[in-house]
Amino acid sequence: MKNDIKEVLFSEQDINKRIKELGMQISKDYEGKFPLLVCILRGAFMFLADLVRKIDIPMSVDFMAISSYGGKTDSTGQVKILKDLDTSIKNRHVLIVEDIVDTGLTMDAVTRLLSTRKPASLRIASLLDKEERRLLPIKVDYYGFKVPNEFVVGYGLDYEERYRNLPFIGILKEKIYRKE
Ligand code: 5GP
């Protein structure tokens, strides 16, 4: 698996350190607000699991599974809900937990949908922010790391369902996804 990685961008230690900082910031910002963290499956499962352990205020979690139609390494912004939330978000302080914001099309669709349910507030925490690819002005309120315009995998992020279990984040060699 590691042979398929061109370059490691963030090590396990880098990620742990950064998530600890994010957890502290989120704990401070949401003190007394009992936030609901909404994990976008599947890519954000590892980020959520580590992040919540660094948050030291009362909070709850829920999960949403979406699929975006599109190419193998690009999204189209057309989002299909595969699993909706079990919790009502009306009047809740909702923090979406995402793996990566790229063009912003996915987060635009998700935030528009969740806004209709009248949360008290709605913000985005994304482990990675690929800002230079943005097509829509999505604001990432909490981000772990900015990434260059490369296809990255590991720490929850996949390519065709593989590489999610890598403990670090790295750039996938192009020959893996440009096989055809
Ligand atoms: P957007 O709609 O912002 O263009 O894309 C968001 C989704 O595309 C992410 O949730 C993720 O599933 C996928 N994505 C975008 N860039 C990458 C990347 O570099 N690596 C992986 N594994 N997925 C990506």
Side-chain angles (χ1 to χ4, degrees), residues 100-116:
I100 182 166
V101 180
D102 183 18
T103 61
L105 294 168
T106 305
M107 273 303 99
D108 180 64
V110 171
T111 51
R112 273 191 289 116
L113 170 74
L114 296 185
S115 299
T116 63

Side-chain angles (χ1 to χ4, degrees), residues 14-126:
D14 296 335
I15 298 169
N16 288 344
K17 183 167 172 278
R18 186 70 185 116
I19 290 182
K20 196 172 173 193
E21 292 168 359
L22 288 177
M24 280 166 62
Q25 187 64 48
I26 290 166
S27 303
K28 197 164 147 246
D29 295 351
Y30 285 91
E31 177 85 64
K33 292 186 170 167
F34 188 51
L36 170 66
L37 272 69
V38 168
C39 176
I40 307 297
L41 295 171
R42 291 189 280 266
F45 78 97
M46 212 176 276
F47 178 37
L48 177 91
D50 284 341
L51 182 64
V52 295
R53 282 178 282 183
K54 300 296 174 207
I55 294 177
D56 61 3
I57 55 166
M59 49 147 288
S60 60
V61 293
D62 201 347
F63 299 86
M64 195 168 186
I66 55 173
S67 75
S68 47
Y69 303 99
K72 287 182 174 172
T73 59
D74 280 307
S75 82
T76 59
Q78 280 179 301
V79 168
K80 185 175 162 200
I81 297 185
L82 304 175
K83 183 217 167 287
D84 205 340
L85 299 173
D86 294 322
T87 318
S88 164
I89 62 168
K90 192 161 190 247
N91 298 327
R92 293 290 306 269
H93 290 281
V94 175
L95 182 60
I96 299 170
V97 179
E98 172 66 310
D99 54 357
I100 182 166
V101 180
D102 183 18
T103 61
L105 294 168
T106 305
M107 273 303 99
D108 180 64
V110 171
T111 51
R112 273 191 289 116
L113 170 74
L114 296 185
S115 299
T116 63
R117 301 180 187 176
K118 307 276 179 255
S121 67
L122 186 59
R123 286 186 182 163
I124 300 171
S126 181

